[in-house]
Amino acid sequence: MFACPGNPGMARVATCVPGEPLAAAVRTSAELTVVGPEVPLVAGVVDAFRARGLRIVGPNAEAARLEGSKIFAKDFLQQRGIPTAAYTTVEDASHARMALGRFGFPVVLKADGLAAGKGVVIAHNASEAEAALATLKGRLVIEEFLTGDEVSFIALCDGHDALPLAASQDHKAVFDGDHGPNTGGMGAYCDAGILSEAHTRMVMERVILPTVEAMNFTGFLYAGLMITADGPKVLEFNVRLGDPETQPLMHRMQSDFVPALLAASEGKLAGQKLTWRAGPSVCVVLASAGYPGGYETGKEIRGLQMAEAKGATVFHAGTRVLHSRLETSGGRVLGVTASGADLPGAIAAAYEGVGHIDFEGMHYRRDIGSRGLGRSPAR
Ligand code: AMP
Ligand code: GLY
């Protein structure tokens, strides 16, 4: 297994190869490539691989617009009658001011393009809306504020079929109790109680399969859902696995993922199955001081071995090795992930791992997974 470019965490399970992905795949004679982040997908990495006859899991550039442009995604949802929040699109801040009156407060403002999870502002009053308009540049989506339980629904797709992964929940706000600005995600958990079977079927029939069919979608289709009183509605599409949702998903996945990935790359997903352990899994993100705003890097990270000796898996995000010392190199630094027999057990195991790790300015949420605690296991 190779990772391009990889990081110090991946280096423990794969050979890290620098450079451009297509060249790296050719050089290593890769039989299958799975794309992680959205930027190369939007730039057409899948199209480039296919043009060379190389097997790859991911959407082409056209389908990746579902994540690359919020306006494209909203117009697509509306045209296809897929449930989503009411919205309007505006060219700039002055048009936004005129449109705001129609929505009342709270209202949701979204920058059109890729923004690493930080292009969305929920404004509770006119002054918050003004402040948001000063930071969000270019075309915007103005959207009805929805309430309900938020669910990350990810399906592996092969152009006509789709295989849902287990549902998970992200924690987007930086502080406990969902306070503070949105981040790329401060933690996630995966638990059978998150989405009922009826809602899972509904999301497959009304959201995932119509999208796969309309776009010949291949790769991971991630629907960020709000489970409202009127049923599930799409908040956003991503065209990749979620971060940090993938960490608890991989921890809980029981089956070998590779046959399903190969099948997806060949348009032969039908008949593939994924199985999940009964017990839930939890990932707590450790972030740098200041994130999601400006942050410093280069802080030494300590305690990873102890955390892993106690049973956690520590996924790396913003780390690097410099002079044989592991240090921070990003806003979200590590994803400390553990499973348990039940949700309280999985939460305790993840935070036990967190307790062994330390770097200057480290901060994290203390309530990851707690939303699931009040829920009966078989909803
Ligand atoms: P997005 O990147 O579109 O998923 O938005 C980031 C976060 O903002 C979501 O995960 C939700 O927590 C919140 N959000 C987005 N759209 C809405 C909406 N229409 N109503 C309420 N919250 C929303
Ligand atoms: N956790 C949300 C995302 O990956 O965009």
Side-chain angles (χ1 to χ4, degrees), residues 61-250:
E62 171 65 18
R65 293 178 71 198
L66 288 172
E67 176 167 358
S69 165
K70 301 255 187 214
I71 294 175
F72 177 82
K74 291 296 288 191
D75 290 347
F76 171 84
L77 289 164
Q78 188 180 51
Q79 280 156 17
R80 301 278 158 173
I82 299 173
T84 190
Y87 74 104
T88 188
T89 62
V90 293
E91 292 303 316
D92 56 32
S94 67
H95 288 95
R97 283 184 198 96
M98 289 188 276
L100 276 174
R102 281 187 274 137
F103 285 86
F105 294 102
V107 69
V108 186
L109 302 161
K110 301 186 177 185
D112 182 43
L114 291 177
K118 289 174 243 164
V120 176
V121 175
I122 296 166
H124 296 88
N125 51 53
S127 69
E128 285 183 14
E130 255 327 299
L133 290 176
T135 62
L136 300 173
K137 295 290 169 225
R139 300 174 79 198
L140 300 178
V141 173
I142 301 180
E143 192 172 286
E144 167 199 14
F145 178 77
L146 299 176
T147 53
D149 216 13
E150 224 178 300
V151 172
S152 302
F153 192 104
I154 304 172
L156 176 61
C157 311
D158 72 354
H160 41 101
D161 278 315
L163 183 62
L165 310 192
S168 56
Q169 274 188 320
D170 188 10
H171 298 63
K172 291 249 165 79
V174 67
F175 300 128
D176 288 4
D178 296 329
H179 294 295
N182 268 341
T183 68
M186 292 298 290
Y189 70 104
C190 178
D191 171 19
I194 288 174
L195 199 65
S196 68
E197 276 188 30
H199 273 154
T200 301
R201 264 198 308 279
M202 197 185 280
V203 174
M204 286 300 287
E205 280 163 21
R206 295 194 191 161
V207 179
I208 301 293
L209 291 171
T211 304
V212 171
E213 187 189 5
M215 308 286 282
N216 282 324
F217 193 96
T218 55
F220 294 102
L221 180 60
Y222 166 137
L225 304 171
M226 190 72 90
I227 312 301
T228 72
D230 301 329
K233 294 189 179 180
V234 177
L235 293 176
E236 65 159 343
F237 279 129
N238 294 320
V239 297
R240 51 174 171 79
L241 286 163
D243 177 14
E245 290 93 328
T246 307
Q247 291 85 314
L249 278 165
M250 293 304 112

Side-chain angles (χ1 to χ4, degrees), residues 156 165 220 241 250 253 255-262 272 274:
L156 176 61
L165 310 192
F220 294 102
L241 286 163
M250 293 304 112
M253 187 181 284
S255 38
D256 183 353
F257 206 9
V258 173
L261 293 169
L262 273 171
Q272 287 290 325
L274 294 172

Side-chain angles (χ1 to χ4, degrees), residues 8-34:
M10 292 180 195
R12 297 187 309 171
V13 294
T15 305
C16 294
V17 287
E20 192 270 322
L22 181 58
V26 170
R27 208 163 62 238
T28 57
S29 308
E31 289 169 68
L32 177 68
T33 301
V34 180

